[in-house]
Amino acid sequence: MTAPHPLVTRARRLADELLAPHAERVDQEGVPVSHLMAIGRSGLLGVNAPQEYGGSAAPAAAVRETAEILAGACCSTWFVQTQHHTPVLTLARSEGPARERLLGPLARGELLSGVAYAHLRAHPRIPVRVTRERGGRRFDGTVPWYTGWGLNDVMLLAGVTDSGEALFAFTEAREQPGLRASEPLRLAALTAARTVSLELDGLWLPEEAVVLRTPYERWAAADRPKTVAANPAVFGVTETALTLLDEGTAAPLRHRLDEVRRRAYALADHPVPHEHLEEKLALRTAAYEVLLAATTAAVVAGGGRSMLLTNRAQRLAREALFLMVQGQTSPSRTAHLTALAALAG
C-alpha cells in the first residue's frame, strides 16, 4: 500500500486532535484564529502552491483527501481555509508585482486570503463593475457573500469591466475607503465562518493589484467544470455522519458513497476538463443524495438528542444543507431539483 501524502497525515492529525473535538463549540462561537494558524503551520494552506514559493504542489488526489478530512472534522474551519486556495492558484498563473509580493506568504501560510468572485456567475447581471480611474481600477457594486471577514488578511476581488472582461485584483480584507462590510450574517449553518456582504462604492486599487484580466466568456468556460464537479467536502461530511450509525445502517450508504466518489474522482482526473460535464453533474447530484441520506440517518439514530445545538448529528445535518447550495449555479440547481422530483416516482 502506498504511504499517504505527508499533508494527508498532517490533516488527519489536525482533525483528530484539534478540529473534531472542538467542532460543536466552533459551530456556536466562531472559527478561532488559532485553528487557522494551526492549518497554516501544517503546510495545508500551500497544498496546491508552487514548491519554489514554499508550497507543496500536491497531487490532486491528496488535495481532495485533505479537503475531505478537514470538512468532515469541522466544516466551518474547512470553509474559511478553502477560500485561500483559489487566490493561490490565480497568483501562481499570473505575472507581475502581486505575484512576487503575495504568493510566497500565502503559500507558506503566513497570510490568509478570501475570495469575492462568486457573483460573476450571476451574469448577465453584473453585481460588481470595474472602471478605469486615476491610473488604476475603481470597483462599484455589491458582493453578496464574503467568507472569513475578520479572519482573512487579503482578498481576491473580481468584477466585470465595461469591455466585458472579468478582472481580478487583490486588496486588504478590511474596511477602507470605498469598501464597507455588513454585520456577520446569521445563517442556518456555518455562521461560524464569518460571512458578510460587501458594499463597494468607489474602491480604488492600483493597476499593480490586478492579477487577471480575461474575456468574461473565457473565464466562464474555465469556471464551468468546477461548478459541475462533486465537492470533496460533501464526501467528508458524509463519512463523519456514517460514523454515528450502526454498521447495518451505515454499510449500504458507505457502499454507495464509495461508488459515487470513485466515479466522480475518476472524471475529475480526466485530462480534458470540458468533457463529461453532464456525467460530472449527475455524480455531483448523487453525492448530495448520499449526503442527505447519511446525515438524516444520523439525526434519526440520535433521536431527541439530535435537536440539541451541541449535538454532532444535528450540526452535520445543517452543514449538509449548506453544502447543497454552496457554489450552486442554475444548471446544478436544475439537476438537483430534477433528481429530487424523481423521488416522487
Side-chain angles (χ1 to χ4, degrees):
M1 181 179 291
T2 305
H5 191 280
L7 286 181
V8 171
T9 302
R10 293 176 210 166
R12 289 199 185 282
R13 185 180 304 119
L14 270 175
D16 293 343
E17 297 177 1
L18 178 65
L19 303 185
H22 299 287
E24 279 68 54
R25 179 178 61 79
V26 166
D27 177 61
Q28 295 302 305
E29 299 178 8
V31 174
V33 173
S34 57
H35 275 28
L36 301 170
M37 291 177 64
I39 291 172
R41 288 192 300 270
S42 74
L44 286 164
L45 292 179
V47 62
N48 58 9
Q51 292 179 335
E52 60 268 30
Y53 284 85
S56 295
V63 174
R64 292 190 294 256
E65 191 169 0
T66 59
E68 284 192 29
I69 293 167
L70 296 181
C74 179
C75 198
S76 292
T77 301
W78 162 79
F79 191 52
V80 173
Q81 67 82 44
T82 201
Q83 314 295 314
H84 181 87
H85 303 300
T86 294
V88 168
L89 286 174
T90 303
L91 279 170
R93 295 165 181 160
S94 72
E95 298 178 353
R99 173 188 170 110
E100 298 311 312
R101 178 170 58 90
L102 291 173
L103 185 51
L106 292 174
R108 296 189 295 269
E110 297 163 3
L111 294 176
L112 184 68
S113 183
V115 293
Y117 77 88
H119 51 273
L120 290 181
R121 295 171 182 151
H123 200 271
R125 287 195 302 110
I126 302 178
V128 176
R129 292 188 176 273
V130 186
T131 53
R132 291 186 179 275
E133 184 176 282
R134 293 182 286 123
R137 302 286 176 156
R138 173 184 170 130
F139 290 76
D140 291 279
T142 301
V143 175
W145 307 96
Y146 179 82
T147 294
W149 186 255
L151 298 170
N152 298 323
D153 301 294
V154 296
M155 73 169 78
L156 180 61
L157 172 64
V160 176
T161 69
D162 291 339
S163 59
E165 290 181 314
L167 184 144
F168 292 72
F170 276 92
T171 186
E172 294 183 12
R174 60 173 178 81
E175 291 205 348
Q176 52 187 294
L179 188 160
R180 182 173 56 84
S182 71
E183 290 297 313
L185 303 175
R186 294 294 298 171
L187 306 175
L190 275 72
T191 288
R194 293 187 62 85
T195 297
V196 299
S197 62
L198 301 176
E199 291 299 325
L200 307 172
D201 183 14
L203 173 67
W204 183 87
L205 298 179
E207 194 67 32
E208 55 264 30
V210 176
V211 291
L212 175 65
R213 287 172 50 202
T214 188
Y216 177 84
E217 292 74 15
R218 183 179 300 170
W219 175 85
D223 182 64
R224 186 165 183 238
K226 303 173 191 174
T227 63
V228 300
N231 183 349
V234 169
F235 299 128
V237 172
T238 304
E239 288 272 17
T240 300
L242 293 178
T243 67
L244 303 180
L245 304 176
D246 64 76
E247 190 54 31
T249 306
L253 291 169
R254 184 174 292 110
H255 176 76
R256 177 61 173 156
L257 170 67
D258 290 344
E259 177 190 16
V260 173
R261 177 166 46 198
R262 175 185 58 78
R263 292 173 59 197
Y265 286 173
L267 286 180
D269 290 332
H270 190 277
V272 184
H274 289 86
E275 292 186 0
H276 305 289
L277 294 185
E278 292 303 318
E279 187 177 355
K280 288 179 181 179
L281 185 53
L283 288 166
R284 175 188 174 107
T285 301
Y288 288 147
E289 293 170 354
V290 185
L291 170 70
L292 185 59
T295 53
T296 301
V299 169
V300 172
R305 295 186 305 276
S306 298
M307 293 300 98
L308 295 170
L309 285 175
T310 54
N311 181 269
R312 180 152 297 185
Q314 181 267 142
R315 173 178 61 82
L316 293 170
R318 287 187 290 108
E319 291 172 353
L321 294 176
F322 171 84
L323 290 171
M324 283 190 284
V325 298
Q326 187 243 331
Q328 186 185 68
T329 61
S330 292
S332 65
R333 180 188 301 113
T334 299
H336 197 179
L337 289 173
T338 300
L340 290 171
L343 295 177

